Amino acid sequence: MAGAVIASRAPWLPTTPWDHDGANFVRALDTFDLARHSPHAPGYPVYIALARLARAFGAPDAAPLAWPSVAGAAAAAATVAWAVARFANRGTALAAGLAYAALPPLWLGDLAPRPDALAAHVLVAAACLLASQALPAAAVLIALALGVRLSVWPAALVLMLALPRAAWGWLAAGVAAWAVPLAALAGGPFELLRQLTSFGAGHFGQWGNTAATAGLRVDQWAGHLADQGGAVCGGLALVAAVVWVRSRQHATPGWWWAAAVAYAIWIVAGQNPDHPRHVWPLLALVGAACLVAVAVAVGRAAPPLLAAAAALAVVQAAPGISQTHRPAPDAALASWLAARPADSLALAGGSEVGVVRLLAPTIRALRVDKPADVAAALAPGGGWPRTALVSVREGQTAPVGWGEVARFPARPALDAPGLGLRVYARPAPAALALAGATGDCR
């Protein structure tokens, strides 16, 4: 089953980073430097270590950033099946594991050069092991989940509290395994604390677009849940509720649902709603809990239900899988720029500049926060380059008088619609335009 999960992902692995965070992760494969955002705080030490291991085994391009999630998907599917096998037959257990692997947010998340899907898989594996009383292994996985992506802390905290105190030593050892090297790489514990504090201030204040600055945005989060596989997980939840009412079997402990609720509250209150990927751990916890509940309660009659859920999941994931051959908008922009003469060309843009600097290093790319900053960035002292370009996200205001020269749309089911890019060029001076019209371009 684990082999089948890996085979379902391997043909679609990424070749380029998808966004500026992905570019930071690529740089971290060579040099780990929190001060230079390679990667940014809190550092993702477990994820970077696993990605470096994947590259050491020969994974090319950006694929090392996806292989940890692929391996995590195989392991989590196996633990879901193992948890079910304690109460049901082998066929039912295998069906539950494969249905988990087919969940759309996880399948598509495994193809992203990011740690979000891996964090979801580690949480699910830890929950399955904890429910099965494999306490040392569960404690270590809870600790490792925090080292993959620290923002899963609310769900991890609930799982920690569900551990017997006898297992807390394993938990402490797991945290120390990544926290001590992270502090050393950051320049010491005080420097690590400074980096975390600085990042937290930016996340919740200046650029994070969280509830602290933009409100709860519950409608936007609801849209993400629907787009990222909420229909499949919602259907599973409905079936699980009906099964529970009829059988009253508690296959999934109460703390499992509490972990999902805690994380749901956190993503609304403390995460950036511009990024749908933040809902992946929530959908993973809910989906896995429902699959285990249905498989255990229904028993031998469960495989048809689980197969139907897997088929529905594959149908929803298929559009995204079909788009994986296309680069993400940021990478497509970088490729387009790399094919143009770099002499006297400059680009001003937002977060996409990080990918441009990585994939098209000869291009002068400048980060600007507001349209009013474009002139100062591209023409310091009034000297404009021969070709001045500005990239803006879909839905953002274009520079007045600048003409659109390229567009890189978001990939359906893989990118949020607002991640598409449009590129505008500064209009030529009147004299140059007149010379071009007459054919005199000396």
Side-chain angles (χ1 to χ4, degrees), residues 4-411:
V5 173
I6 292 173
S8 70
R9 272 74 163 164
W12 325 106
L13 295 178
T15 57
T16 59
W18 289 9
D19 55 17
H20 69 287
D21 283 344
N24 292 339
F25 290 134
V26 169
R27 286 193 293 268
L29 293 178
D30 294 314
T31 304
F32 191 97
D33 190 342
L34 290 183
R36 296 180 179 272
H37 281 208
S38 299
H40 64 66
Y44 310 89
V46 173
Y47 171 65
I48 295 299
L50 292 174
R52 287 187 173 189
L53 182 63
R55 190 176 66 168
F57 276 96
D61 304 318
L65 299 176
W67 268 115
S69 296
V70 173
T79 56
V80 167
W82 186 63
V84 172
R86 298 174 63 245
F87 305 99
N89 62 59
R90 180 174 295 179
T92 300
L94 290 174
L98 291 174
Y100 170 82
L103 292 177
L106 304 180
W107 193 331
L108 299 178
D110 293 340
L111 307 181
R114 297 193 50 81
D116 307 78
L118 175 61
H121 295 314
V122 176
L123 283 176
V124 167
C128 289
L129 292 172
L130 180 55
S132 303
Q133 295 299 304
L135 300 181
V140 171
L141 283 184
I142 295 168
L144 293 182
L146 295 171
V148 171
R149 189 168 175 266
L150 188 59
S151 60
V152 299
W153 68 267
L157 178 61
V158 173
L159 299 183
M160 288 179 195
L161 296 176
L163 280 171
R165 290 199 175 186
W168 285 8
W170 290 98
L171 180 69
V175 171
W178 58 262
V180 172
L182 176 62
L185 289 170
F190 294 107
E191 177 60 20
L192 175 60
L193 180 61
R194 189 190 70 79
Q195 292 283 348
L196 294 176
T197 302
S198 175
F199 179 80
H203 178 70
F204 289 103
Q206 180 181 359
W207 40 260
N209 192 25
T210 61
T213 57
L216 294 179
R217 308 289 291 274
V218 176
D219 57 333
Q220 196 167 350
W221 287 117
H224 293 336
L225 288 174
D227 295 339
Q228 297 294 309
V232 176
C233 291
L236 283 172
L238 179 61
V239 173
V242 172
V243 167
W244 181 80
V245 169
R246 296 185 61 181
S247 66
R248 297 289 177 173
Q249 291 194 40
H250 300 275
T252 49
W255 50 257
W256 194 325
W257 300 107
V261 171
Y263 185 74
I265 294 172
W266 164 243
I267 62 173
V268 173
Q271 294 291 297
N272 186 339
D274 291 338
H275 302 305
R277 63 176 181 265
H278 293 314
V279 304
W280 294 348
L282 173 62
L283 292 175
L285 284 168
V286 171
C290 292
L291 287 168
V292 172
V294 170
V296 172
V298 179
R300 293 184 181 275
L305 285 174
L306 299 176
L312 179 61
V314 171
V315 168
Q316 186 170 1
I321 295 172
S322 68
Q323 294 293 318
T324 55
H325 69 283
R326 291 176 49 198
D330 296 18
L333 168 64
S335 178
W336 181 77
L337 289 170
R340 301 172 65 86
D343 182 41
S344 194
L345 182 152
L347 169 81
S351 62
E352 64 274 13
V353 165
V355 178
V356 172
R357 289 172 177 169
L358 178 71
L359 301 181
T362 61
I363 300 297
R364 180 185 168 207
L366 305 161
R367 177 75 180 264
V368 295
D369 294 323
K370 303 185 296 291
D373 298 335
V374 170
L378 292 182
W384 286 89
R386 183 180 299 116
T387 304
L389 303 174
V390 171
S391 58
V392 299
R393 296 288 183 189
E394 290 290 348
Q396 294 181 347
T397 304
V400 177
W402 292 44
E404 183 176 322
V405 295
R407 179 173 291 193
F408 307 99
R411 300 167 298 175

